[in-house]
Amino acid sequence: MFQKILIANRGEIALRIQRTCRELGIPTVAVHSTIDAEAMHVRLADESVCIGPPPARESYLNIPSILSAASITGADAIHPGYGFLSENANFADVVAAHGLTFIGPSPEHIRMMGDKITAKATMARLGVPLVQGSDGAVADFAAARKAADRIGYPVLVKAAAGGGGRGMKMAPSPAELEDSLRIARAEARAAFGSDDVYLEKFLDRPRHIELQILADAHGEVVHLGERDCSMQRRHQKLLEEAGSPALSAQQRDELGSTVTAALSTLGYRNAGTVEFLYQDGEFAFIEMNTRLQVEHPVTEMVCGVDLVREQIRIAAGDRLGYRQSDVDFSGHAIESRITAEHPVSFVPSPGRVSLYHAPGGPGVRVDSALYAGCVVPSVYDSLIAKLIVHAPTRPEAIARLRRALDEFAVIGIETTIPLHQRVVDEPSFQAGDTTVHWLERFVSD
Ligand code: MV4
């Protein structure tokens, strides 16, 4: 097992990883920018190293600084958390080249899934269902026109290097295709340095359902069920659930078998999330994330598994030690992502938190690095707390979430708690009747 783990992240996820390390008896090193010197993830770590000024590119994305911090503290493994360097294959390469362990997949698998065209072709070959689309990248307008005629309109032009909603353009009919193609290519080139694009049939009211998997270095792969992340706005998730109110246990088992078999064949190692669109009873693979995700706690609550612990054990070469038949699902979990933003206008609201009181009681978990007197900087992600509730049934989980949101007090900055309170009271949310467009319609009322 590792002697010391450096956590290359900040905020709630750095704290989340520290907590597991402490339970495993592994000392931790926190890294931080100058503005985060008094942050909770620094205060609670065994050691800390300042790695640069506030802009992430000079600190949390600064690979030489992070490797120096690992070297001077004698860390033998690096956990990247989510965001920042977590899906940077070059970082994973450099970490290994320095004789350290990257707590994540191989650089090759990060690279493979980072290219959506390769990811889709790979998954298709392994029997995972896809949305109808072009056969790989479209070379030019003529090729796009031919593919779109076969797929049927509307089509979506997507960037191979995109993901998470960046670099997409819809073409409702042939007349718009040339413009959509040109715009998507230009945006992709500017944003990602690659203008490879592909086409997909546009689904008009999908749900976003993702499957959590764990794969060890010995070919054992299990799935931990799905999360429904349809409740989002501008590709920022607001609330996630495990399981999906739209799926049956049989659908979960079927999808799980297909996906775990595929990843076992691939030789994937680490936790991973396989994302699908789900519409009219059909799943379509869109992307795979090779990191721990923000919304991992809902899966932990229904499966009774510590995903960070599993990541660390897998990276150390341990066997999972259990099979799919040993994975039990219990109850329903919901996560509210609370951000430092105005609950109606979504204007960012950084600043000093004067008072902080987190909810508690049965089935309530709060993952947050907030404390009374802390400062929420404006330079990073606005996520300040994740409120996770767990209960035997979905209606009980919703009642518990409502109760916990009422207890939650964050004074000094604006937060999205009031938005969450409005969402949980909405009958169509309570009925589980949502798509990826639900929230945008709800907030524009
Ligand atoms: C789609 C789609 C409809 N049809 N693909 C957006 C993020 C990226 N991961 C994939 N996305 C979508 N791909 C086809 N063929 C609709 C979306 C989409 C979406 C997907 C997941 C979660 C939220 C979303 C919000 C708007 C659009």
Side-chain angles (χ1 to χ4, degrees), residues 131 156 158 163-166 168 200-204 206 208 229-230 232 235 275 277 286-287 436-437 440:
V131 63
L156 208 48
K158 294 187 175 185
R166 299 174 310 160
M168 299 194 325
E200 276 182 3
K201 172 85 187 166
F202 175 72
L203 304 177
D204 61 343
H208 175 150
C229 306
S230 301
Q232 61 83 46
H235 305 294
E275 294 189 353
L277 299 178
I286 47 171
E287 294 171 22
V436 299
H437 305 297
E440 276 159 20

Side-chain angles (χ1 to χ4, degrees), residues 332-378:
H332 192 87
I334 309 178
E335 171 179 279
S336 273
R337 288 195 195 188
I338 297 164
T339 54
E341 293 173 308
H342 189 279
V344 175
S345 67
F346 295 99
V347 171
S349 180
R352 189 175 295 276
V353 174
S354 55
L355 183 148
Y356 176 72
H357 178 263
V364 174
R365 164 176 171 183
V366 177
D367 281 17
S368 174
L370 240 52
Y371 60 89
C374 78
V375 171
V376 177
S378 60

Side-chain angles (χ1 to χ4, degrees), residues 282-304:
E282 297 198 40
F283 292 99
F285 168 78
I286 47 171
E287 294 171 22
M288 177 169 177
N289 301 318
T290 56
R291 60 169 192 276
L292 181 71
Q293 298 213 201
V294 176
E295 60 271 29
H296 77 275
V298 289
T299 299
E300 294 187 323
M301 301 313 277
V302 298
C303 292

Side-chain angles (χ1 to χ4, degrees), residues 292-324:
L292 181 71
Q293 298 213 201
V294 176
E295 60 271 29
H296 77 275
V298 289
T299 299
E300 294 187 323
M301 301 313 277
V302 298
C303 292
V305 170
D306 177 338
L307 284 167
V308 176
R309 174 176 181 268
E310 298 310 282
Q311 282 190 295
I312 293 170
R313 290 200 313 113
I314 290 166
D318 286 5
R319 289 180 177 277
L320 283 180
Y322 46 87
R323 281 184 286 231
Q324 193 60 51

